[in-house]
Each structure stands twice: as structure tokens, then as C-alpha cells.
Amino acid sequence: MSENNSENKFTESTTEPESIEVSTPEFRPESLLETVSDAEVNSRISFEEFTDERTLISHDAFGNKQMKIKVLEVSDENPPVKWKFGDRVKVTKILVTIKHLTTQQVEEGEFDIEAIERELAEKRHYTSTNRWIPATDIKNGYVVGSKHTRLISDASALDYIIF
């Protein structure tokens, strides 16, 4: 922190609250896939609900294409080692949208990651997909851009996606 922010320190309160109940919402994979409806678009949203569009987009190496991945289906499988990695969901189907920035052309494709993973393991005897995505990295039904290569690595290896 810089020295200019030193005057913005919080002061501790001397009074303690009588009792505080902390409730954690129940984790449901289906709720991650829900998007904002058209009726809610014009309503105010809280800061915690706000998602910057730039965090959902990844770019190719040359900066000519943008990719956005929407989660269509998740598995109901329980994650192993929840205490170590936190709440995660296993993604099975995605919708990939690629926008060519030079021509403004948009391409979309639906991929069954589970089937692609099996196909790659059968053909090339390995797989590199990690379909377990932290629940916090899915915003409004879209995967955060930093997790895109994790989901499309097998499809890219089989030349289903050229990005």
C-alpha cells in the first residue's frame, strides 16, 4: 500500500455485537448455470454480483480472436478433496464463441468435453483436460478467461478448435 492510503485505516469498535449468525449458502451446481434474465437487466445489481465482461474473454496469441465459454452442463459428481481445493464443479458440455476481431465474424460450437476426453485417451493414450473448475470461476454461466485453456486443451489437440 502507498503512504497516501495510510489515513484511510479502519478503526476498531469497542462494542461487540451480542451474537452473529453466519450462514453459508448451500452450493448447487445448477445455480452456476443460471444467467441474468431480461427482466433483471435494468435493475440495480450489487457490487458482488457485478461481472466485468473482460474477465470472461480470452485472446489468442496474436490478438486477432476473442473466445468466450458458456457452461451448458455440469456433472453432479462430488469433487474429491474439497477441503484442499474448495467448491468445484465438473463441466461436461460447453458452448464456445469465437469472435474474429478483423472481420467481426462470430463462430459458435457446442462441445461435449467428456466425449472429447474419452476420444483423445483412446486415440492418443493421454488426456490433458482438467474439467474441475472452481465454482467462483463461473460468472453468470460463463467461465473466467483464465480457465479457458483448461477446458479446450483436448479439443485443440484433436483440431476441433483452432485458436
Side-chain angles (χ1 to χ4, degrees), residues 122-134:
E122 180 182 309
K123 287 183 176 179
R124 307 227 177 121
H125 305 293
Y126 82 99
T127 182
S128 59
T129 298
N130 183 359
R131 297 184 293 133
W132 288 101
I133 301 293

Side-chain angles (χ1 to χ4, degrees), residues 27 77-89 130 132-135:
F27 175 70
E77 187 177 334
N78 288 330
V81 199
K82 183 178 178 181
W83 61 269
K84 187 174 183 180
F85 299 112
D87 285 330
R88 298 179 298 159
V89 293
N130 183 359
W132 288 101
I133 301 293

Side-chain angles (χ1 to χ4, degrees), residues 64-130:
N64 297 331
K65 299 176 187 175
Q66 291 180 342
M67 179 171 44
K68 197 171 178 181
I69 297 179
K70 181 174 181 139
V71 178
L72 297 178
E73 188 177 305
V74 293
S75 174
D76 58 350
E77 187 177 334
N78 288 330
V81 199
K82 183 178 178 181
W83 61 269
K84 187 174 183 180
F85 299 112
D87 285 330
R88 298 179 298 159
V89 293
K90 191 172 189 179
V91 178
T92 56
K93 288 187 181 180
I94 58 173
L95 177 69
V96 177
T97 305
I98 297 176
K99 181 180 181 181
H100 299 268
L101 297 176
T102 54
T103 62
Q104 299 300 313
Q105 178 186 2
V106 176
E107 298 178 68
E108 283 189 334
E110 186 176 325
F111 294 96
D112 184 355
I113 301 175
E114 194 170 16
I116 291 173
E117 185 178 11
R118 280 191 305 250
E119 181 181 349
L120 187 66
E122 180 182 309
K123 287 183 176 179
R124 307 227 177 121
H125 305 293
Y126 82 99
T127 182
S128 59
T129 298
N130 183 359

